[in-house]
Amino acid sequence: LFYQIQVPKPWTPSSESQRIHEALEQIPYAEQQGFESVWFSEHHFRPVWSHNSAPDLTLAAVSQRTSRIRLGIGVVLAPIHHPLHVAARMATLDILSHGRVDVGLGRTGYPYQLTPYGADLKDTRGMWQEFADVLPRIWTRRRSPTTETTSRFHAGRFCRNLCNNRIPRCGRRAAATRRRA
Amino acid sequence: MGGLFSGEGGPDRVKQLMALYRDALRTSQVDSAGPTRRAGLMTAGYCHEDPRVVATRGTELVGWYIEQQRERARLVWRDYDPTTVPPDYQGYYARDQRLASGPHPGEPTPEQVREQGTSFCVGTPAECIRFIELYEALGIEEMILLCAIGPAQHQEVLHTIRLFGDQVIPHFQAKEARRPVAEASA
């Protein structure tokens, strides 16, 4: 399953809330029916199409209503996040779900999702690449990388305890491969 | 390290992107923390046992989805100076400009898109099975369905999930069980 949390107009005060709570009923049913995974997108500032700006929170709720179905973020928008935050949140979700998390990484093709966070289109390829390099290492190595990355990652802190040794599965959106086109 | 693809461009586009993905896997120096290299396909999904309902409601949902894609294309670059679009985004820019100014003459209608049955997993259980098998043949290993398509009501989404659980998923489970052991472990 894939969820954008789409909320068509006309809206009522409860439209958005209703859609999220419907998803929380649909996903456990899907698990019963044999579905193996549910993925949530991450979108910002795109009403109607996707009210999914905090997918890890929604998946945390899903994790408490299900026991087997895998929980995916498809995809984390790398240029607008700090990888240490993402690593910690995904690791926590992985703990809450008893190891069912899949993490997708993307760079977004939408400028309006970047500008409010101070990111720029021209930087997204490099930021995505850094994120893809760094995130697995945060989960698996004792120290975060300090020399080869930008100032976003300069903190030479211990990350292993931060992430509680959890290693969610990591993937990349196909868009990432388009950089080779 | 997995790849997530979208079905909207149809099987030819997915085939093209999967070739890039496989090439990237071959040449990538990034080691994945994850255990799998699964290729998943995301697309809109709606299933009903009555072909007449598929023809009406399925087409409505496909139409809404396509129009929202067009709306996205209109919004994406609205406040962006086109002269500053980075080289690696110019393909997206051109695609979105064309999409935003559509529909263009000769483009299929939502009804034709649904009838064609290659971009969205919308149909009877048998049609949904055919759709999935089309992409399975390209190497897609996981189907990720957006069943809560904008206007779809909660009960409609549950109905689609039920039909998948009762008919579509068991078809593939039976198929998997019939696969020779050697092939399954390859």
Side-chain angles (χ1 to χ4, degrees):
Chain A
L1 285 180
F2 187 74
Y3 279 90
Q4 296 273 25
I5 307 296
Q6 297 186 327
V7 187
K9 291 182 178 178
W11 293 338
T12 68
S14 63
S15 295
E16 188 178 57
S17 166
Q18 182 185 334
R19 280 304 162 107
I20 292 173
H21 284 282
E22 286 174 356
L24 295 181
E25 288 184 27
Q26 291 158 8
I27 296 164
Y29 180 58
E31 181 179 74
Q32 289 174 28
Q33 288 294 95
F35 282 72
E36 294 179 351
S37 67
V38 58
W39 290 77
F40 274 61
S41 66
E42 180 186 354
H43 279 298
H44 301 262
F45 316 114
R46 180 60 178 92
V48 177
W49 179 253
S50 179
H51 294 235
N52 229 1
S53 52
D56 54 341
L57 279 181
T58 315
L59 284 173
V62 172
S63 76
Q64 302 307 295
R65 290 163 169 79
T66 55
S67 61
R68 180 188 53 77
I69 197 166
R70 293 200 64 84
L71 312 175
I73 311 277
V75 293
V76 171
L77 304 182
I80 65 170
H81 293 293
H82 194 294
L84 289 173
H85 281 144
V86 171
R89 294 175 74 91
M90 295 305 153
T92 304
L93 181 60
D94 208 49
I95 290 168
L96 290 171
S97 67
H98 300 286
R100 290 185 281 143
V101 174
D102 295 313
V103 182
L105 299 179
R107 61 174 183 155
T108 181
Y110 309 153
Y112 64 79
Q113 297 201 114
L114 298 168
T115 308
Y117 291 98
D120 195 292
L121 274 187
K122 65 178 171 43
D123 301 323
T124 60
R125 177 180 290 185
M127 294 171 89
W128 178 89
Q129 185 65 58
E130 286 177 338
F131 215 103
D133 290 344
V134 166
L135 193 59
R137 283 193 268 175
I138 294 173
W139 286 324
T140 56
R141 293 189 183 183
R142 195 139 191 87
R143 282 183 182 275
S144 62
T146 56
T147 55
E148 71 277 54
T149 56
T150 72
S151 59
R152 289 204 306 155
F153 313 130
H154 64 74
R157 68 181 66 175
F158 288 92
C159 295
R160 198 170 182 127
N161 289 336
L162 174 71
C163 299
N164 297 297
N165 289 329
R166 303 301 303 193
I167 308 174
R169 299 201 307 192
C170 192
R172 304 174 182 193
R173 195 178 197 282
T177 62
R178 292 178 197 157
R179 64 200 169 92
R180 307 177 67 82
Chain B
M1 190 70 71
L4 176 59
F5 304 85
S6 168
E8 290 156 43
D12 289 343
R13 180 63 176 155
V14 170
K15 195 173 178 180
Q16 184 185 19
L17 289 172
M18 284 192 66
L20 290 170
Y21 163 64
R22 288 178 175 136
D23 184 49
L25 284 180
R26 274 194 299 272
T27 58
S28 174
Q29 295 178 353
V30 177
D31 187 24
S32 169
T36 65
R37 284 189 171 187
R38 287 178 77 81
L41 183 85
M42 194 289 289
T43 190
Y46 173 78
C47 191
H48 200 283
E49 57 273 72
D50 186 341
R52 292 167 299 181
V53 176
V54 170
T56 53
R57 188 57 169 159
T59 299
E60 284 174 12
L61 295 173
V62 166
W64 186 90
Y65 193 93
I66 292 172
E67 180 50 36
Q68 280 299 312
Q69 290 289 61
R70 223 179 283 291
E71 180 67 7
R72 175 197 59 76
R74 293 184 192 113
L75 291 172
V76 166
W77 305 98
R78 189 177 47 184
D79 302 320
Y80 206 83
D81 178 358
T83 63
T84 63
V85 177
D88 56 339
Y89 275 96
Q90 285 173 5
Y92 292 101
Y93 181 78
R95 177 201 65 185
D96 287 337
Q97 294 305 302
R98 177 168 172 76
L99 189 57
S101 60
H104 301 282
E107 287 183 358
T109 63
E111 185 174 16
Q112 290 168 330
V113 170
R114 182 195 56 74
E115 285 174 349
Q116 200 173 16
T118 57
S119 296
F120 302 105
C121 190
V122 172
T124 62
E127 289 167 337
C128 289
I129 287 170
R130 275 203 296 277
F131 176 91
I132 295 169
E133 288 182 332
L134 172 69
Y135 285 95
E136 184 184 36
L138 298 180
I140 292 292
E141 299 158 294
E142 183 171 355
M143 194 58 59
I144 304 172
L145 295 179
L146 194 162
C147 299
I149 306 166
Q153 297 299 307
H154 182 47
Q155 290 303 324
E156 291 179 300
V157 177
L158 292 174
H159 192 74
T160 290
I161 291 170
R162 181 174 71 75
L163 288 177
F164 263 77
D166 289 350
Q167 298 186 43
V168 179
I169 293 173
H171 169 86
F172 288 96
Q173 287 172 333
K175 199 171 162 181
E176 182 70 17
R178 288 195 301 270
R179 285 175 63 195
V181 174
E183 186 189 340
S185 60

